[in-house]
Amino acid sequence: MRLTRLIVRDVRSVEAVDWRPVAGVNVLVGPNGGGKTSMLEAIHLAVAGRSFRTRDTAQVIRRGASGLRVGAWFELDDGRRAHIRMERDAAGTRLRRDGEVVRSASQLARAFPVLVLSQDGVRRFRTERAERRGVMDWGVFHVKPEFHAVWSRYHAALAQRNAALRRGQPVEPWLGPLAEAGGAMSAYREGYLSRLQEHVTAVESEFGFSGPLKIELQRGWREGVELDAYWRQSESRDRRLGYTGGGPHRANLSLGYGNGIGLEQCSSGQVKIAYLTFRLAQLRELLTARPDVEPMVFFDDLTAELDGDHLAGILGGLVRQPLQRFVTSPVLTADLNEHADAVFHVKHGAITTATN
């Protein structure tokens, strides 16, 4: 899969851009706030129907504009072409693929996977349980097509139980569907992380990262207790809270090193390496489980945060993958210039091709 053309209208600081990226490593350089990340955000809007920076797509619309539009043209792995059009305004979000209305953004996202590695992602990965859970579920979603349906059933039943708790109504009717879907969700996650540990070890070896990084699923409810029994035991507490306090929706991805140091005790540099190790392991698992797909990789605003050896190793490793990659940086470093297939300058929401 390769993005061949991107037309952007009114995405953050970008008013109007028509851009043709290349097949390999696309390096976008320019001052902070100039629009580099906004270009990546526009790609993500097209293939996932949402931003990777905020849950509220309305925040992405350029100030003073009534809405945003993104058009993305792709050359697919089998030689076919695809055109995706995304619009967002006061009437909502609309997606079309080759002129046909897209009813489910999740189907589009699975067909056009994007791995986002970003400095903001590192920060949230360290501090937010929901971010770590979302990163884990991104991986499960892309290798297990049935996971999304299970996830949706669980959250639909969870919303019904929470409504019953708030209204003082019986919650027993929701225990069966909730426990069935919740147990399946947790099993998918456990199986995924078990497979991922092998890839973590491989990434540490390939890129020279310190380790060993250990990953573990904290299920979100008390160990040794079945889900339906757990929710029956916690019903009084949940009624006081007005929502379901425990379950797979409260799961946590726990990471730490063999010497007992958890993510919360790690230095900023160690957290960045743990984040990159986990996410690059996810890329390996995706390529192993779905050899028919070629995901795009975003490497956003991380070059200044890594020392020369780690940066060179990661860039070299990404170059060895036959994937389209997008790297943003305030300056064009020697390492970036060495590995770039094309360099673009981005400033004041405009993009121009530089001589590499």
Side-chain angles (χ1 to χ4, degrees), residues 71-85:
W73 285 259
F74 291 90
E75 187 176 281
L76 304 181
D77 306 333
D78 58 6
R80 293 180 299 121
R81 298 179 183 276
H83 172 219
I84 300 173
R85 180 182 176 92

PDB file of all heavy atoms in Angstrom, residues 71-85:
ATOM      1  N   GLY A  71      -8.501  14.373   0.700  1.00  0.00           N
ATOM      2  CA  GLY A  71      -8.572  13.371  -0.352  1.00  0.00           C
ATOM      3  C   GLY A  71      -7.257  12.619  -0.409  1.00  0.00           C
ATOM      4  O   GLY A  71      -6.195  13.235  -0.420  1.00  0.00           O
ATOM      5  N   ALA A  72      -7.317  11.289  -0.406  1.00  0.00           N
ATOM      6  CA  ALA A  72      -6.101  10.468  -0.405  1.00  0.00           C
ATOM      7  C   ALA A  72      -6.207   9.417  -1.504  1.00  0.00           C
ATOM      8  O   ALA A  72      -7.207   8.703  -1.598  1.00  0.00           O
ATOM      9  CB  ALA A  72      -5.904   9.805   0.949  1.00  0.00           C
ATOM     10  N   TRP A  73      -5.153   9.325  -2.323  1.00  0.00           N
ATOM     11  CA  TRP A  73      -5.088   8.342  -3.396  1.00  0.00           C
ATOM     12  C   TRP A  73      -4.014   7.309  -3.065  1.00  0.00           C
ATOM     13  O   TRP A  73      -2.881   7.668  -2.684  1.00  0.00           O
ATOM     14  CB  TRP A  73      -4.750   9.013  -4.724  1.00  0.00           C
ATOM     15  CG  TRP A  73      -5.887   9.762  -5.334  1.00  0.00           C
ATOM     16  CD1 TRP A  73      -6.697   9.362  -6.351  1.00  0.00           C
ATOM     17  CD2 TRP A  73      -6.354  11.083  -4.975  1.00  0.00           C
ATOM     18  NE1 TRP A  73      -7.633  10.330  -6.648  1.00  0.00           N
ATOM     19  CE2 TRP A  73      -7.447  11.382  -5.822  1.00  0.00           C
ATOM     20  CE3 TRP A  73      -5.946  12.017  -4.015  1.00  0.00           C
ATOM     21  CZ2 TRP A  73      -8.132  12.597  -5.737  1.00  0.00           C
ATOM     22  CZ3 TRP A  73      -6.631  13.211  -3.928  1.00  0.00           C
ATOM     23  CH2 TRP A  73      -7.714  13.493  -4.790  1.00  0.00           C
ATOM     24  N   PHE A  74      -4.359   6.033  -3.206  1.00  0.00           N
ATOM     25  CA  PHE A  74      -3.456   4.946  -2.841  1.00  0.00           C
ATOM     26  C   PHE A  74      -3.239   4.000  -4.017  1.00  0.00           C
ATOM     27  O   PHE A  74      -4.146   3.763  -4.817  1.00  0.00           O
ATOM     28  CB  PHE A  74      -4.023   4.138  -1.661  1.00  0.00           C
ATOM     29  CG  PHE A  74      -4.044   4.877  -0.368  1.00  0.00           C
ATOM     30  CD1 PHE A  74      -5.158   5.627  -0.004  1.00  0.00           C
ATOM     31  CD2 PHE A  74      -2.959   4.832   0.493  1.00  0.00           C
ATOM     32  CE1 PHE A  74      -5.181   6.309   1.202  1.00  0.00           C
ATOM     33  CE2 PHE A  74      -2.977   5.506   1.699  1.00  0.00           C
ATOM     34  CZ  PHE A  74      -4.085   6.244   2.058  1.00  0.00           C
ATOM     35  N   GLU A  75      -2.046   3.457  -4.071  1.00  0.00           N
ATOM     36  CA  GLU A  75      -1.730   2.339  -4.943  1.00  0.00           C
ATOM     37  C   GLU A  75      -1.649   1.112  -4.055  1.00  0.00           C
ATOM     38  O   GLU A  75      -0.798   1.029  -3.158  1.00  0.00           O
ATOM     39  CB  GLU A  75      -0.403   2.579  -5.648  1.00  0.00           C
ATOM     40  CG  GLU A  75      -0.060   1.566  -6.709  1.00  0.00           C
ATOM     41  CD  GLU A  75       1.225   1.934  -7.431  1.00  0.00           C
ATOM     42  OE1 GLU A  75       1.181   2.805  -8.315  1.00  0.00           O
ATOM     43  OE2 GLU A  75       2.277   1.366  -7.068  1.00  0.00           O
ATOM     44  N   LEU A  76      -2.541   0.149  -4.250  1.00  0.00           N
ATOM     45  CA  LEU A  76      -2.650  -0.998  -3.365  1.00  0.00           C
ATOM     46  C   LEU A  76      -1.653  -2.088  -3.747  1.00  0.00           C
ATOM     47  O   LEU A  76      -1.069  -2.079  -4.837  1.00  0.00           O
ATOM     48  CB  LEU A  76      -4.076  -1.541  -3.378  1.00  0.00           C
ATOM     49  CG  LEU A  76      -5.172  -0.520  -3.023  1.00  0.00           C
ATOM     50  CD1 LEU A  76      -6.540  -1.179  -3.040  1.00  0.00           C
ATOM     51  CD2 LEU A  76      -4.899   0.138  -1.680  1.00  0.00           C
ATOM     52  N   ASP A  77      -1.478  -3.043  -2.834  1.00  0.00           N
ATOM     53  CA  ASP A  77      -0.463  -4.078  -3.007  1.00  0.00           C
ATOM     54  C   ASP A  77      -0.726  -4.960  -4.225  1.00  0.00           C
ATOM     55  O   ASP A  77       0.205  -5.510  -4.808  1.00  0.00           O
ATOM     56  CB  ASP A  77      -0.389  -4.948  -1.743  1.00  0.00           C
ATOM     57  CG  ASP A  77      -0.166  -4.111  -0.493  1.00  0.00           C
ATOM     58  OD1 ASP A  77       0.420  -3.029  -0.624  1.00  0.00           O
ATOM     59  OD2 ASP A  77      -0.594  -4.527   0.604  1.00  0.00           O
ATOM     60  N   ASP A  78      -1.999  -5.108  -4.617  1.00  0.00           N
ATOM     61  CA  ASP A  78      -2.331  -5.963  -5.754  1.00  0.00           C
ATOM     62  C   ASP A  78      -2.382  -5.186  -7.070  1.00  0.00           C
ATOM     63  O   ASP A  78      -2.837  -5.705  -8.091  1.00  0.00           O
ATOM     64  CB  ASP A  78      -3.661  -6.676  -5.520  1.00  0.00           C
ATOM     65  CG  ASP A  78      -4.811  -5.701  -5.289  1.00  0.00           C
ATOM     66  OD1 ASP A  78      -4.610  -4.473  -5.428  1.00  0.00           O
ATOM     67  OD2 ASP A  78      -5.925  -6.160  -4.976  1.00  0.00           O
ATOM     68  N   GLY A  79      -1.927  -3.931  -7.050  1.00  0.00           N
ATOM     69  CA  GLY A  79      -1.903  -3.123  -8.260  1.00  0.00           C
ATOM     70  C   GLY A  79      -3.122  -2.253  -8.450  1.00  0.00           C
ATOM     71  O   GLY A  79      -3.122  -1.359  -9.306  1.00  0.00           O
ATOM     72  N   ARG A  80      -4.197  -2.490  -7.706  1.00  0.00           N
ATOM     73  CA  ARG A  80      -5.391  -1.655  -7.805  1.00  0.00           C
ATOM     74  C   ARG A  80      -5.129  -0.285  -7.180  1.00  0.00           C
ATOM     75  O   ARG A  80      -4.161  -0.090  -6.447  1.00  0.00           O
ATOM     76  CB  ARG A  80      -6.584  -2.324  -7.119  1.00  0.00           C
ATOM     77  CG  ARG A  80      -7.059  -3.588  -7.794  1.00  0.00           C
ATOM     78  CD  ARG A  80      -8.245  -4.192  -7.057  1.00  0.00           C
ATOM     79  NE  ARG A  80      -7.899  -4.557  -5.695  1.00  0.00           N
ATOM     80  CZ  ARG A  80      -8.490  -4.072  -4.611  1.00  0.00           C
ATOM     81  NH1 ARG A  80      -9.468  -3.193  -4.719  1.00  0.00           N
ATOM     82  NH2 ARG A  80      -8.113  -4.475  -3.408  1.00  0.00           N
ATOM     83  N   ARG A  81      -6.010   0.644  -7.458  1.00  0.00           N
ATOM     84  CA  ARG A  81      -5.925   1.980  -6.879  1.00  0.00           C
ATOM     85  C   ARG A  81      -7.163   2.259  -6.039  1.00  0.00           C
ATOM     86  O   ARG A  81      -8.226   1.676  -6.280  1.00  0.00           O
ATOM     87  CB  ARG A  81      -5.764   3.046  -7.973  1.00  0.00           C
ATOM     88  CG  ARG A  81      -4.482   2.881  -8.773  1.00  0.00           C
ATOM     89  CD  ARG A  81      -4.365   3.927  -9.867  1.00  0.00           C
ATOM     90  NE  ARG A  81      -3.167   3.705 -10.665  1.00  0.00           N
ATOM     91  CZ  ARG A  81      -1.962   4.142 -10.342  1.00  0.00           C
ATOM     92  NH1 ARG A  81      -1.789   4.846  -9.232  1.00  0.00           N
ATOM     93  NH2 ARG A  81      -0.922   3.896 -11.120  1.00  0.00           N
ATOM     94  N   ALA A  82      -7.011   3.140  -5.066  1.00  0.00           N
ATOM     95  CA  ALA A  82      -8.140   3.498  -4.205  1.00  0.00           C
ATOM     96  C   ALA A  82      -8.103   4.991  -3.925  1.00  0.00           C
ATOM     97  O   ALA A  82      -7.027   5.583  -3.791  1.00  0.00           O
ATOM     98  CB  ALA A  82      -8.079   2.716  -2.889  1.00  0.00           C
ATOM     99  N   HIS A  83      -9.272   5.584  -3.864  1.00  0.00           N
ATOM    100  CA  HIS A  83      -9.405   6.999  -3.529  1.00  0.00           C
ATOM    101  C   HIS A  83     -10.330   7.125  -2.323  1.00  0.00           C
ATOM    102  O   HIS A  83     -11.465   6.636  -2.348  1.00  0.00           O
ATOM    103  CB  HIS A  83      -9.981   7.786  -4.709  1.00  0.00           C
ATOM    104  CG  HIS A  83     -10.312   9.210  -4.374  1.00  0.00           C
ATOM    105  ND1 HIS A  83     -11.444   9.851  -4.853  1.00  0.00           N
ATOM    106  CD2 HIS A  83      -9.675  10.106  -3.581  1.00  0.00           C
ATOM    107  CE1 HIS A  83     -11.471  11.087  -4.379  1.00  0.00           C
ATOM    108  NE2 HIS A  83     -10.416  11.264  -3.608  1.00  0.00           N
ATOM    109  N   ILE A  84      -9.838   7.768  -1.280  1.00  0.00           N
ATOM    110  CA  ILE A  84     -10.629   7.980  -0.062  1.00  0.00           C
ATOM    111  C   ILE A  84     -10.855   9.474   0.111  1.00  0.00           C
ATOM    112  O   ILE A  84      -9.926  10.279  -0.025  1.00  0.00           O
ATOM    113  CB  ILE A  84      -9.917   7.405   1.181  1.00  0.00           C
ATOM    114  CG1 ILE A  84      -9.686   5.908   1.017  1.00  0.00           C
ATOM    115  CG2 ILE A  84     -10.743   7.673   2.434  1.00  0.00           C
ATOM    116  CD1 ILE A  84      -8.838   5.314   2.110  1.00  0.00           C
ATOM    117  N   ARG A  85     -12.090   9.819   0.430  1.00  0.00           N
ATOM    118  CA  ARG A  85     -12.436  11.221   0.676  1.00  0.00           C
ATOM    119  C   ARG A  85     -13.066  11.321   2.062  1.00  0.00           C
ATOM    120  O   ARG A  85     -14.004  10.578   2.376  1.00  0.00           O
ATOM    121  CB  ARG A  85     -13.412  11.734  -0.388  1.00  0.00           C
ATOM    122  CG  ARG A  85     -13.842  13.182  -0.213  1.00  0.00           C
ATOM    123  CD  ARG A  85     -14.846  13.572  -1.295  1.00  0.00           C
ATOM    124  NE  ARG A  85     -15.342  14.930  -1.102  1.00  0.00           N
ATOM    125  CZ  ARG A  85     -14.811  16.010  -1.650  1.00  0.00           C
ATOM    126  NH1 ARG A  85     -13.736  15.878  -2.415  1.00  0.00           N
ATOM    127  NH2 ARG A  85     -15.339  17.204  -1.440  1.00  0.00           N
TER     128      ARG A  85
END
